[in-house]
Amino acid sequence: MFTQFSNSGESVGFRENKAVGVSIEHLSKSFNKLNVLKDFSLKVAPGEIFVLMGPSGSGKSVLLRHIIGLEMPDSGVVLINGKDALSEDIREHVRMALVFQAGALFNSLTVFDNLALYLREHRLGTEKQIKDKVMQALTLLSLEDAAKKYPSELSGGMKKRVAISRALVMEPQLLLYDEPTSELDPVSSAMIDEIIATLRDQYRVTTIVVSHDRDLAMSIADRVGILMNGNLIHIGTPESLKNPTDKRVSDFLYPKVDLNNPRFKKIIP
Amino acid sequence: MNNSQQTARVGLFFLLGLALIYVTYETLSGGKTFSRSGYTVVAGFPNLQDLKPTDDVRMAGVRIGSVYVTRLGKGRAEAVLQIDPQYTIPSDASATIVMAGIIGTDYISIDLGTTQAPALKDGAEIKTKITPDIASIMTQMAELGHKLDSALSSISNAVNGSGPDGGVFQKFNRLLSENQTKIDASMTNLQEITGKINRGEGTLGKLVNDSKLHDDLLAAVGDFKATASEAKNVMASAQTVLDQVKAGQGALGVLVYDKQAAEDLKFTLHDIRDFSDKISKGQGTLGKLINDDSLYFGLQGTLKKADRAMDGLNDSGPISAVGSLSKSLF
Amino acid sequence: MNSIRSVLEGVGSTLILFMRSISHVGTLSRQKSRFIEQCYVIGYTTLPIVGILSFFVGSVLALQSGYSMQDFGTQQFIGALVGLSMVRELGPMMVAILLAGRVGSAITAELASMKVNQEVDALVTMNIPPAKILVLPRLAAVLMMMPVLTVISNLVGWFGGALVCKYTGFISVEPQQYFQALRHVVKFKDVIDGICKAEIFGFIVVLVCSSIGLSTRGGPREIGAAVTKAVVSSLVLILVLDYFVTKLLLAILS
Ligand SMILES: Nc1ncnc2c1ncn2[C@@H]1O[C@H](COP(=O)(O)OP(=O)(O)O)[C@@H](O)[C@H]1O
Ligand SMILES: [Mg+2]
């Protein structure tokens, strides 16, 4: 299915991109005295797939929002190709897409219009070309039947897939996924993994994936980082996760389910 | 609802809005470009006063059209009247500008004319009558009021006295009080004289029986009567003046509505009351004259005696003095 | 101190939103369908309530002034009073207030929920300025629709007054007399003044409601709070601005 997408004509599919590199330097961010990110630094090479893991509320989504320019850092900077992510130049000339955790679909538009909005607003092709392109992106994620539906009529998993296809239509150079496979069944999850990997292989899309999905990290990641308490406690290849030396990492990745000594009893005596 | 339906409704709605704005414009600008039905006639006046386009044209009170436009003609102001087609105006009818009220709107009133006269045609001239406008009437009335005001204040000055010797009443009052002793003395003298007459002393006593002298006295009393009736006439004419004032006729009628004049009048009347108060309280000679019984009876006695013994009385001085006094009082 | 700061922030963000929207005015021709949709919502669907309320405002105006004028016997001038008040003041004011309640609240609710659902963020990541596609069409639509709503409100109010004058015992003024007095006093300039006023009010209501909607933070609870804030601010602004706009228009007049 994906091959079909990538091999199609010029108007459809990804243009050959100059891959972008992301460099996060000494980023700090706090909300009302809650320090979410503390002097966070990370470099993601052009065309790399970086998987970011970490417990809920550790600030993964906040980090993605900084990279795409939705959030202003308290201190530090996010550089894309060496330029500030918030600058006009980057906004205008680097195509970046974020697959939001909750989808962030336009509720007043149909699925089709959700995908077509970007193309129409930036006048990327005639209405016919836009339609072909959108339908192809929808077909890719088995959403062709949902084209005329509104987001409120979709299931959680379908919303997630629509959000991904909406990002794909933008043909981004930098693609950020915020928990793309949560709420998806195993087959759909595997499909998403394949899409992420293929996009990178064929079009050198720099990819940052936030996920709790160990399989995803193991199968497609070039590098994996674990965010905890506002900073990376581990960074390395997927192999390095198999036998972590750090106790925090092993506790996070391979928690033992101990029914005789449940965790909540420790919290609520 | 599909898109084109929505577009159509918005389009319709907007056109409706434009049409209504146009309707408003037409309504407010007096339908100048509205289809004009009927015909026009021209009315020339020296002054159109407050007349405006859209004002009514009424014939014997019935609305038959409206003022279409006002303009200046040769040495006059012209109102072009738009007359509804179903009405005809006889050529001998004449138009006047009428004001509906002080804050009302003007309208053109056309009288019925006669039915024999031919009807006015489109663009014809209608005869006009000039009516003084209410504003000029009001100004004239105001002028009149001012004149009355000054007249009354000079009267009040004269009566009230602002000069060195005071007003008429004050002079009179002073005259009487200054001469009180003299008058008293003359009265005593008179008594003395009449006593003497009574007792038949002197020439006068003798004269009492002379009928000719009695007739003379009667004539003197007649004089007094005539004087009194003259005074009555004066009173009567004063009454008519008063009635006219009450009826609101003449200049004095306005006086009633003029606050300043009324104020002055009040002062004048107040002075008169003062004067009469003094009289009734027995102050001054005249007061005593009227209030003092003894004096009155004395006088009466004197006159009775005089009646009986007038022979020697050639001098009718005191009596004519009373006559002239009563005259001057009016 | 905090409230002053938040007011200043509100003013600032509204002005910034205004500038941003205006800077995209060239794209309006490509946003026809959004513009038409907003025209439909702002104009067409607001018409019934504007009609009904204007009718009763005109009626009650005639009734009250008739009641107070009966002692002076000046009932024949009610037409002038109702006509002028409707055109210069009550028509534009009524429409603006209804706009705030009916359209302004909806705009704030919609934009606030878009903000809370991160739809606005999504637009930003797509490099589509929210001011361009969410605010500009609404501003254009309100400018387009206000004159229509206002003129309808004026006329309906006039007729409401005329009906009351005819059928109320102590007034008993015939429509012909009523409209003659009205025509005598009301100038087309007054209508234009009223429409100018309505345009200013409408523009400000939409701008303020958009701005408050777009600066919402948090969850569904904040959407409700934002709507309340938007409607209250709109009403206060309408009433306060009314005084100054009226003064300005009268100054221009003389
Ligand atoms: N706009 C915001 N205002 C206040 N607190 C926020 C905001 N965004 C995120 N946070 C806080 O920052 C922390 C990290 O959030 P988030 O990045 O969403 O976590 P996650 O790693 O699960 O994606 C959370 O405690 C959250 O409450
Ligand atoms: Mg998150």
Side-chain angles (χ1 to χ4, degrees):
Chain A
M1 203 197 302
F2 192 72
T3 3
Q4 199 186 356
F5 174 73
S6 53
N7 287 348
S8 50
E10 275 196 10
S11 66
V12 183
F14 273 48
R15 282 166 282 184
E16 205 61 54
N17 284 323
K18 191 177 162 285
V20 294
V22 178
S23 173
I24 302 160
E25 290 168 9
H26 308 290
L27 190 70
S28 292
K29 179 73 180 181
S30 55
F31 295 106
N32 308 324
K33 290 172 189 157
L34 170 72
N35 286 321
V36 180
L37 297 174
K38 298 166 198 156
D39 196 27
F40 182 97
S41 293
L42 172 70
K43 271 195 165 61
V44 179
E48 184 183 5
I49 294 178
F50 185 87
V51 175
L52 186 68
M53 302 178 87
S56 286
S58 57
K60 307 181 296 293
S61 299
V62 170
L63 181 67
L64 291 189
R65 288 173 63 82
H66 275 95
I67 296 171
I68 205 153
L70 286 174
E71 214 79 65
M72 291 269 269
D74 290 344
S75 66
V77 69
V78 176
L79 299 174
I80 291 172
N81 275 354
K83 284 180 187 149
D84 195 329
L86 292 166
S87 70
E88 200 64 22
D89 190 31
I90 295 299
R91 261 176 199 286
E92 292 284 321
H93 298 111
V94 178
R95 289 187 306 282
M96 298 184 281
L98 169 61
V99 178
F100 286 86
Q101 194 169 355
L105 301 178
F106 304 119
N107 284 311
S108 59
L109 301 180
T110 61
V111 167
F112 182 91
D113 289 337
N114 260 280
L115 269 68
L117 183 71
Y118 175 84
L119 303 173
R120 284 178 180 150
E121 285 306 315
H122 293 280
R123 288 189 279 184
L124 301 171
T126 63
E127 194 59 27
K128 170 87 177 56
Q129 290 168 323
I130 288 171
K131 190 176 180 218
D132 289 348
K133 204 166 185 173
V134 168
M135 284 319 289
Q136 220 149 8
L138 287 174
T139 312
L140 187 70
L141 287 146
S142 316
L143 287 164
E144 56 271 38
D145 295 337
K148 286 202 169 67
K149 288 187 174 164
Y150 284 89
S152 58
E153 301 163 340
L154 303 178
S155 72
M158 280 168 98
K159 278 185 193 165
K160 190 124 277 176
R161 283 184 287 156
V162 173
I164 294 169
S165 54
R166 188 175 71 178
L168 295 185
V169 162
M170 289 172 66
E171 304 177 8
Q173 294 160 277
L174 173 62
L175 191 41
L176 312 175
Y177 299 87
D178 199 349
E179 306 194 18
T181 57
S182 60
E183 294 182 75
L184 290 187
D185 60 88
V187 180
S188 299
S189 299
M191 191 176 72
I192 300 291
D193 297 354
E194 289 161 10
I195 289 171
I196 294 170
T198 315
L199 281 175
R200 192 278 308 267
D201 290 346
Q202 296 203 349
Y203 305 103
R204 299 229 325 135
V205 179
T206 309
T207 308
I208 299 174
V209 188
V210 165
S211 180
H212 304 299
D213 189 338
R214 253 175 314 173
D215 291 342
L216 182 144
M218 298 300 180
S219 53
I220 61 168
D222 294 325
R223 280 191 302 157
V224 180
I226 294 176
L227 178 65
M228 218 176 266
N229 299 326
N231 225 317
L232 289 174
I233 55 166
H234 175 91
I235 187 160
T237 58
E239 274 67 38
S240 69
L241 293 181
K242 283 184 178 153
N243 297 301
T245 46
D246 194 327
K247 173 126 181 10
R248 289 174 299 174
V249 177
S250 56
D251 278 355
F252 172 69
L253 285 175
Y254 309 103
K256 281 197 195 76
V257 178
D258 186 355
L259 289 179
N260 297 324
N261 191 16
R263 277 166 238 264
F264 66 88
K265 285 252 171 87
K266 289 176 196 162
I267 304 163
I268 310 162
Chain B
M1 187 180 337
N2 65 37
N3 241 354
S4 70
Q5 215 178 335
Q6 202 173 55
T7 310
R9 285 192 190 190
V10 169
L12 187 76
F13 184 68
F14 188 69
L15 289 180
L16 173 80
L18 287 186
L20 288 178
I21 290 175
Y22 180 71
V23 165
T24 312
Y25 175 73
E26 283 306 332
T27 310
L28 296 181
S29 57
K32 267 179 206 164
T33 46
F34 243 38
S35 63
R36 292 170 55 193
S37 60
Y39 58 99
T40 57
V41 292
V42 180
F45 292 95
N47 185 353
L48 285 181
Q49 320 291 5
D50 217 7
L51 197 72
K52 282 188 278 296
T54 76
D55 280 339
D56 276 2
V57 175
R58 297 185 201 169
M59 190 170 204
V62 179
R63 188 183 183 277
I64 59 165
S66 60
V67 176
Y68 173 60
V69 70
T70 55
R71 64 189 184 202
L72 281 177
K74 268 184 208 138
R76 64 175 194 173
E78 289 176 352
V80 179
L81 314 179
Q82 179 81 26
I83 308 296
D84 294 349
Q86 66 266 37
Y87 299 109
T88 54
I89 302 173
S91 52
D92 61 352
S94 57
T96 47
I97 299 175
V98 177
M99 198 134 180
I102 290 172
I103 47 170
T105 57
D106 285 6
Y107 64 90
I108 293 234
S109 172
I110 300 175
D111 60 39
L112 284 171
T114 54
T115 38
Q116 302 95 294
L120 283 176
K121 292 206 175 54
D122 190 25
E125 254 304 324
I126 188 167
K127 288 196 287 181
T128 56
K129 275 190 293 197
I130 302 142
T131 41
D133 64 315
I134 209 157
S136 68
I137 291 173
M138 290 303 272
T139 3
Q140 280 170 15
M141 272 166 78
E143 269 169 31
L144 208 70
H146 274 299
K147 277 180 193 162
L148 261 167
D149 206 15
S150 54
L152 275 168
S153 65
S154 59
I155 287 174
S156 121
N157 273 346
V159 170
N160 226 2
S162 51
D165 344 308
V168 172
F169 284 110
Q170 276 157 315
K171 278 183 193 165
F172 187 57
N173 212 9
R174 199 157 356 110
L175 189 81
L176 288 177
S177 49
E178 272 171 7
N179 296 311
Q180 188 172 1
T181 42
K182 285 180 191 167
I183 289 172
D184 281 354
S186 5
M187 283 291 168
T188 333
N189 287 346
L190 199 61
Q191 232 163 359
E192 241 172 69
I193 292 164
T194 49
K196 280 178 185 168
I197 292 167
N198 212 13
R199 278 177 256 117
E201 282 174 30
T203 356
L204 211 61
K206 288 167 192 160
L207 282 175
V208 167
N209 297 318
D210 193 329
S211 63
K212 190 185 172 282
L213 209 90
H214 181 252
D215 284 349
D216 279 356
L217 188 65
L218 273 186
V221 170
D223 271 1
F224 184 68
K225 264 188 186 159
T227 310
S229 79
E230 249 173 59
K232 222 155 112 188
N233 279 345
V234 173
M235 283 302 273
S237 56
Q239 187 64 46
T240 37
V241 168
L242 202 68
D243 284 345
Q244 277 174 348
V245 169
K246 266 187 191 156
Q249 287 171 355
L252 257 148
V254 180
L255 183 69
V256 177
Y257 299 101
D258 192 316
K259 217 176 143 196
Q260 182 58 41
E263 210 61 36
D264 288 343
L265 195 65
K266 220 160 80 188
F267 271 116
T268 312
L269 288 173
H270 181 72
D271 284 340
I272 291 173
R273 241 244 316 262
D274 243 19
F275 179 62
S276 61
D277 273 349
K278 276 184 187 167
I279 289 171
S280 67
K281 274 188 233 138
Q283 291 172 356
T285 325
L286 200 64
K288 280 189 182 142
L289 206 62
I290 288 164
N291 292 293
D292 201 332
D293 274 1
S294 65
L295 240 168
Y296 170 70
F297 286 123
L299 190 63
Q300 216 176 29
T302 310
L303 280 174
K304 271 181 191 160
K305 286 166 194 165
D307 197 46
R308 272 182 273 126
M310 202 49 101
D311 304 47
L313 192 72
N314 275 323
D315 182 13
S316 59
I319 295 169
S320 54
V322 170
S324 60
L325 184 79
S326 69
K327 237 180 197 168
S328 79
L329 257 176
F330 295 100
Chain C
M1 205 49 222
N2 244 354
S3 62
I4 292 173
R5 206 189 130 143
S6 79
V7 166
L8 290 180
E9 258 173 28
V11 172
S13 63
T14 307
L15 284 177
I16 289 168
L17 186 66
F18 170 67
M19 303 302 272
R20 283 198 181 137
S21 309
I22 293 303
S23 72
H24 296 294
V25 77
T27 67
L28 205 53
S29 58
R30 284 190 280 116
Q31 301 198 56
K32 268 192 217 94
S33 65
R34 268 192 283 268
F35 169 70
I36 294 286
E37 192 190 332
Q38 293 305 328
C39 282
Y40 184 79
V41 172
I42 291 172
Y44 193 86
T45 62
T46 316
L47 180 60
I49 186 80
V50 164
I52 291 168
L53 285 188
S54 303
F55 180 85
F56 282 103
V57 164
S59 305
V60 86
L61 195 59
L63 202 61
Q64 287 287 19
S65 43
Y67 176 73
S68 14
M69 281 175 168
Q70 61 179 334
D71 293 338
F72 308 103
T74 47
Q75 285 103 312
Q76 70 263 33
F77 302 110
I78 289 179
L81 196 147
V82 173
L84 208 58
S85 319
M86 211 61 213
V87 158
R88 287 197 67 91
E89 193 59 62
L90 292 171
M93 178 82 100
M94 282 271 317
V95 173
I97 287 174
L98 289 176
L99 192 82
R102 202 185 171 286
V103 177
S105 58
I107 290 175
T108 307
E110 185 177 343
L111 297 191
S113 82
M114 286 185 80
K115 185 75 194 300
V116 169
N117 288 337
Q118 295 182 307
E119 291 175 48
V120 175
D121 289 340
L123 283 177
V124 173
T125 63
M126 291 178 176
N127 208 13
I128 303 171
K132 173 179 139 191
I133 72 162
L134 298 178
V135 183
L136 181 66
R138 287 182 164 93
L139 288 175
V142 80
L143 287 183
M144 197 77 165
M145 289 294 120
M146 276 316 257
V148 181
L149 289 172
T150 309
V151 82
I152 289 173
S153 167
N154 290 344
L155 289 176
V156 171
W158 288 0
F159 279 100
L163 274 182
V164 164
C165 285
K166 185 171 164 60
Y167 292 110
T168 305
F170 60 82
I171 303 177
S172 296
V173 169
E174 286 298 311
Q176 200 199 326
Q177 208 177 359
Y178 173 93
F179 278 107
Q180 203 204 334
L182 187 149
R183 277 169 45 181
H184 215 272
V185 169
V186 183
K187 304 275 166 299
F188 190 63
K189 172 87 173 57
D190 295 319
V191 179
I192 297 293
D193 273 13
I195 289 176
C196 286
K197 232 182 198 182
E199 293 277 38
I200 293 171
F201 292 163
F203 193 86
I204 289 199
V205 165
V206 170
L207 187 67
V208 165
C209 289
S210 302
S211 171
I212 290 175
L214 285 178
S215 45
T216 309
R217 272 169 227 278
R221 221 171 120 93
E222 279 71 20
I223 299 177
V227 171
T228 308
K229 187 177 159 193
V231 172
V232 170
S233 320
S234 298
L235 293 182
V236 168
L237 273 175
I238 289 169
L239 293 171
V240 172
L241 272 178
D242 187 31
Y243 176 79
F244 293 102
V245 173
T246 306
K247 256 194 126 157
L248 192 78
L249 287 172
L250 288 176
I252 291 169
L253 193 74
S254 54

